[in-house]
Amino acid sequence: MDNISYFSVISLGYVFHIAADIGTPAAFAFDRIEDAVVQADEVDGQHLQFEGGLSITSFLINGILKLSTSLKKKPPLNFQQTVKLGNYLLSRRSVQTIKGVTNLLSALTTLAVDSSEKPICITLADGGIIIFNKQPLVTVKVCDILGQALPTVPKVVANSATRVGDDVVVLSNENLQPSTIDKTLFTMNLMNVKPDRGFYKILITAASVKSTITVKVLSEAILDYLEIGTGDADQTTQPKLTRINTESSSGKLEHKIEADSQQKLVMRFLLRDSANKKPMRVHQAFVRLTSVSTSTNNKRGHEIFFVAEPDATHIYKFDMPVGTAAVNFGHQSGEYNMELIIGDAVISNPFQFNIGTVTLKFPEPTSMEGTDKNISYKQKPNVYTTKPEIKHMFREPERRPPAFVSNLFTGLCLAPVLLLLILWARLGVNISNFPLSLSAITFHLGLGGIFVLFGIFWLKLNMFVTLQYLLGFGIVTFLTGNKMLSQIAHRHKSLR
């Protein structure tokens, strides 16, 4: 059934192209356009395509619109069908072959030029997703399917702007102003409504076409205040905090802070939104402690990151008991540079604030902690060095038994054969009735050869080679054995 529909669709495509060249005498083909359109497959309610992919879809689109133009009739395609065909073509814009590119551009050009219901594209202009005080304009591009300006400048309206997460509407029915430089660009100042930071979905309408775009509104984070000091690790007394000048990004402590193993390092700070002066939270608030370079080896030690957590009032707190954190620092006492790192997806000024230098005195490592942890912090192995070659170790063969045991076991295995010969001698077994014929001799030789072959197989041959030899021995032994048995039966019959 699929092949029948495929050939019927491609046949209709040829009919449309031929009828377009003939003109009015072939107007009957125009009535078959609807038969072709109903065979198109709709995908996800957004795309419309014909079976066979891009080449067949392009071929049908060109034929339908070419025939409609030749007969000066409106093609029986509604606006939604035209839009869905355009969506499918745009979804294939990453095609790699020359044939595919030709088919894609041909169909797009036909839809943009010859279609009576020309698709309209509404997208964000390049770099227009980020909105903040220095860039307050939302720039929207309204164009045809080829990115060209529309014949008439449409009215572009922002029906609504909704914040993602809580669906708060901050704007409705706002007209976008056309650009004086580019006829495809329309702008709107979103910062006039003073939106909070976050992501917003804006519903845009242009010439009865609606589309939703997403923008990100950024705000500037301000470090309102920062206090740092020390306190008792057991929290018997309130910590003594010193406020640092946050006016400058390099505002340091006026004096060094010292903390030993019985104390904890304490820091409090608050961030505010520059737009509304409200306290704010950020996704990333890190405290970095880096050991200061020493004058003897001029090497930087390790660095440790900690996360500052906010409380219910949005005040960030950082408490580090020195004794407990000694393992993280490898028990390396000394001076450490302390920095605050702030970052978020919706702030325009992620920053790094240099707090100053603190002196930490860690306790000596206990016997259970060992000295290996100190070494691992001081000198970490280079994971990029050449690794030693991996050599496969085969299993060593098991030790063989002594020769006496092997010979004894062989003798025990041959004992039944010796016993058989002795019993034959006692019974008087002889070969006087052995038929001296070619078939009898060949049969016994073949049978003995098969046993010898089994012995060689056990010693050195593999199964495939053994089967090749066994096939020859088996055929000869079977034929001669059958002949020998027939002779014996004939002789017994004649003796009766």
Side-chain angles (χ1 to χ4, degrees):
M1 181 61 70
D2 292 341
N3 290 334
I4 294 175
S5 63
Y6 169 76
F7 284 114
S8 62
V9 168
I10 196 172
S11 299
L12 287 175
Y14 282 110
V15 169
F16 298 152
H17 280 272
I18 295 173
D21 293 333
I22 295 176
T24 305
F28 66 91
F30 185 83
D31 298 331
R32 299 298 304 275
I33 293 178
E34 293 184 357
D35 297 337
V37 174
V38 296
Q39 298 185 51
D41 299 325
E42 186 171 334
V43 181
D44 297 333
Q46 299 291 331
H47 303 86
L48 197 64
Q49 69 179 80
F50 291 95
E51 184 179 356
L54 178 60
S55 59
I56 302 302
T57 303
S58 174
F59 186 66
L60 265 294
I61 292 174
N62 287 327
I64 292 172
L65 297 180
K66 183 179 179 182
L67 177 59
S68 302
T69 304
S70 175
L71 299 178
K72 297 181 180 180
K73 293 183 178 180
K74 181 179 179 181
L77 291 172
N78 58 40
F79 183 71
Q80 292 298 327
Q81 290 174 330
T82 305
V83 170
K84 292 177 182 179
L85 287 172
N87 288 340
Y88 169 73
L89 294 175
L90 292 177
S91 69
R92 298 298 307 274
R93 60 182 177 271
S94 60
V95 65
Q96 300 293 326
T97 63
I98 297 177
K99 178 183 177 182
V101 172
T102 303
N103 292 329
L104 177 62
L105 293 178
S106 175
L108 288 175
T109 303
T110 302
L111 278 179
V113 177
D114 296 336
S115 177
S116 59
E117 300 285 354
K118 293 180 175 57
I120 298 177
C121 297
I122 303 176
T123 59
L124 270 174
D126 295 338
I129 189 173
I130 298 177
I131 307 298
F132 59 105
N133 289 330
K134 297 181 180 180
Q135 173 54 40
L137 299 180
V138 176
T139 305
V140 178
K141 185 173 184 178
V142 180
C143 56
D144 62 11
I145 201 170
L146 292 177
Q148 303 298 323
L150 300 176
T152 59
V153 179
K155 181 180 180 182
V156 182
V157 180
N159 298 95
S160 63
T162 306
R163 187 167 58 204
V164 177
D166 53 10
D167 295 332
V168 175
V169 178
V170 298
L171 179 146
S172 61
N173 297 327
E174 181 74 17
N175 293 330
L176 276 72
Q177 302 301 320
S179 173
T180 57
I181 301 175
D182 191 341
K183 294 183 179 181
T184 63
L185 298 181
F186 297 81
T187 60
M188 174 189 65
N189 192 332
L190 184 61
M191 298 304 292
N192 287 338
V193 296
K194 298 181 179 180
D196 293 335
R197 65 188 183 281
F199 292 86
Y200 290 83
K201 289 186 176 181
I202 304 177
L203 179 61
I204 304 294
T205 301
S208 72
V209 177
K210 294 184 179 181
S211 180
T212 301
I213 61 175
T214 302
V215 297
K216 179 169 63 174
V217 177
L218 305 183
S219 65
E220 183 178 355
I222 299 176
L223 183 59
D224 186 58
Y225 72 88
L226 187 146
E227 297 176 339
I228 186 171
T230 59
D232 293 334
D234 54 6
Q235 299 181 355
T236 56
T237 59
Q238 291 293 330
K240 299 178 181 180
L241 301 178
T242 302
R243 178 163 295 200
I244 297 178
N245 179 20
T246 59
E247 297 286 334
S248 173
S249 59
S250 60
K252 292 186 177 181
L253 286 167
E254 296 180 356
H255 59 278
K256 293 182 181 179
I257 293 180
E258 296 183 358
D260 56 26
S261 59
Q262 303 299 323
Q263 295 177 311
K264 63 178 180 179
L265 188 62
V266 180
M267 186 175 68
R268 304 284 187 267
F269 64 92
L270 178 66
L271 299 174
R272 292 188 183 273
D273 192 331
S274 63
N276 51 28
K277 306 302 179 182
K278 294 181 179 179
M280 63 181 298
R281 295 189 179 189
V282 293
H283 289 162
Q284 297 174 342
F286 298 121
V287 178
R288 179 168 66 182
L289 290 167
T290 308
S291 59
V292 179
S293 302
T294 60
S295 58
T296 56
N297 53 18
N298 197 26
K299 292 183 179 179
R300 293 182 62 86
H302 57 276
E303 60 181 10
I304 305 295
F305 286 86
F306 296 93
V307 179
E309 298 290 348
D311 59 11
T313 60
H314 303 288
I315 296 177
Y316 281 84
K317 297 181 178 180
F318 167 70
D319 294 348
M320 187 193 74
V322 177
T324 306
V327 177
N328 296 331
F329 290 86
H331 296 271
Q332 295 183 18
S333 302
E335 295 183 347
Y336 287 83
N337 285 329
M338 191 171 183
E339 296 172 317
L340 175 64
I341 301 174
I342 300 297
D344 196 284
V346 290
I347 64 173
S348 59
N349 63 327
F351 61 88
Q352 176 179 326
F353 185 79
N354 188 7
I355 299 173
T357 303
V358 296
T359 302
L360 303 179
K361 297 179 181 180
F362 299 108
E364 294 297 326
T366 61
S367 58
M368 296 183 63
E369 292 173 343
T371 59
D372 292 339
K373 292 184 178 180
N374 295 343
I375 298 175
S376 65
Y377 279 104
K378 294 179 181 178
Q379 185 179 2
K380 294 184 178 180
N382 187 0
V383 296
Y384 300 105
T385 56
T386 304
K387 300 297 187 296
E389 181 182 359
I390 299 176
K391 295 183 179 180
H392 182 71
M393 299 294 294
F394 291 94
R395 180 182 177 183
E396 295 183 1
E398 297 182 0
R399 185 179 178 182
R400 293 181 175 272
F404 172 77
V405 177
S406 300
N407 294 333
L408 178 62
F409 182 76
T410 304
L412 292 176
C413 292
L414 295 177
V417 179
L418 180 62
L419 180 62
L420 177 64
L421 295 176
I422 294 174
L423 292 177
W424 279 355
R426 294 286 302 271
L427 294 175
V429 177
N430 57 73
I431 57 173
S432 59
N433 291 329
F434 183 84
L436 297 175
S437 62
L438 181 62
S439 60
I441 296 174
T442 306
F443 169 75
H444 287 84
L445 290 176
L447 187 62
I450 291 176
F451 289 121
V452 172
L453 179 63
F454 285 160
I456 298 175
F457 165 69
W458 184 70
L459 292 174
K460 55 186 291 187
L461 294 180
N462 58 47
M463 181 180 295
F464 299 101
V465 177
T466 304
L467 289 176
Q468 293 178 3
Y469 289 115
L470 184 61
L471 179 64
F473 280 111
I475 294 175
V476 174
T477 305
F478 173 76
L479 295 177
T480 56
N482 183 62
K483 180 67 175 177
M484 184 189 69
L485 293 176
S486 299
Q487 292 176 354
I488 294 175
H490 180 71
R491 187 177 60 180
H492 287 177
K493 185 176 180 181
S494 61
L495 292 176
R496 292 178 183 178

